[in-house]
Amino acid sequence: GQNIDQPTEMTATEGAIVQINCTYQTSGFNGLFWYQQHAGEAPTFLSYNVLDGLEEKGRFSSFLSRSKGYSYLLLKELQMKDSASYLCADMDSNYQLIWGAGTKLIIKP
Amino acid sequence: NAGVTQTPKFQVLKTGQSMTLQCAQDMNHEYMSWYRQDPGMGLRLIHYSVGAGITDQGEVPNGYNVSRSTTEDFPLRLLSAAPSQTSVYFCASSYSVPTGANVLTFGAGSRLTVL
């Protein structure tokens, strides 16, 4: 079966750190993606993990644990422009992406 | 480069009408796909293509047709629109089947309302 779970909405304060979790249950795992989507816009690629561990890319980091079917996106030094939805997607054995419903992140001053 | 261009951005249809959503990319991408995005749900794959002349069904293909006569264009046709097809539609492309080294580039989206 294929199932992606992530929180519907989170709120954080400008300048703080926030962690957005994602759990997946996909047969034939081929990698985990994170995309950012501002309201009314297209999703844009943030990160990709296929091996366990943390991948750091500036203020954003992504972590994967394949044994636990778990990933998180860590956003540091939050800025108002980080207010967006964050989409988690995993790739199944047919190289098709299975998407979560997204986490809407609200940044408050 | 324009990237992935979708038209129209907004469309209102009556039940039973047909229409075509256009998608064009100028990046010489072999892989193209159509998704729909509904509130509270993840993006769902409608149809995809791995190259000119080749198309395949995704998760929710019913009520939609596609064709891929050129590398650049991948139109999505709604045969007889239904209110359940009210959604935001995204076209996305990549050089080949999406991987970590070959990520999807999305168009700006087409918001369709079926009355």
Side-chain angles (χ1 to χ4, degrees):
Chain A
Q2 298 165 336
N3 192 31
I4 303 277
D5 288 316
Q6 51 181 133
T8 301
E9 187 174 295
M10 300 181 70
T11 302
T13 305
E14 189 177 16
I17 299 173
V18 71
Q19 177 176 310
I20 303 174
N21 297 325
C22 171
T23 59
Y24 64 90
Q25 298 172 339
T26 300
S27 55
F29 176 78
N30 272 309
L32 194 293
F33 292 80
W34 285 96
Y35 277 74
Q36 180 190 58
Q37 185 178 23
H38 286 100
E41 298 184 8
T44 55
F45 171 76
L46 286 178
S47 69
Y48 171 74
N49 296 68
V50 68
L51 300 177
D52 290 350
L54 188 68
E55 294 275 346
E56 297 188 69
K57 195 184 294 185
R59 292 190 301 113
F60 291 8
S61 302
S62 56
F63 172 83
L64 177 67
S65 169
R66 288 173 296 172
S67 62
K68 296 182 179 179
Y70 168 69
S71 174
Y72 67 72
L73 182 68
L74 191 71
L75 290 74
K76 303 175 184 176
E77 301 169 14
L78 286 169
Q79 302 175 9
M80 297 303 293
K81 67 179 182 179
D82 297 330
S83 291
S85 288
Y86 291 86
L87 314 181
C88 172
D90 74 341
M91 181 173 289
D92 67 12
S93 56
N94 294 319
Y95 294 94
Q96 298 302 328
L97 291 173
I98 309 300
W99 298 81
T103 297
K104 182 179 180 180
L105 178 63
I106 300 167
I107 310 296
K108 295 185 175 181
Chain B
N1 283 346
V4 180
T5 302
Q6 289 183 235
T7 56
K9 292 190 184 304
F10 300 94
Q11 183 71 50
V12 179
L13 290 177
K14 294 182 179 179
T15 297
Q17 287 184 319
S18 62
M19 77 156 300
T20 299
L21 298 177
Q22 302 290 346
C23 176
Q25 52 87 14
D26 61 358
M27 298 174 284
N28 204 30
H29 284 175
E30 292 294 328
Y31 181 92
M32 297 187 74
S33 56
W34 277 101
Y35 286 93
R36 59 179 290 173
Q37 187 173 41
D38 301 294
M41 302 183 72
L43 289 161
R44 290 183 292 169
L45 183 64
I46 304 170
H47 286 283
Y48 66 98
S49 169
V50 297
I54 305 168
T55 63
D56 209 343
Q57 295 181 352
E59 179 185 356
V60 288
N62 292 341
Y64 308 95
N65 273 357
V66 291
S67 59
R68 185 91 182 271
S69 56
T70 67
T71 299
E72 294 78 18
D73 299 299
F74 191 45
L76 178 72
R77 297 182 185 84
L78 280 71
L79 308 174
S80 177
S84 61
Q85 294 179 304
T86 294
S87 188
V88 179
Y89 291 85
F90 287 100
C91 179
S93 70
S94 55
Y95 281 110
S96 64
V97 174
T99 65
N102 188 31
V103 298
L104 286 173
T105 299
F106 283 82
S110 299
R111 183 175 293 275
L112 175 67
T113 301
V114 182
L115 303 176

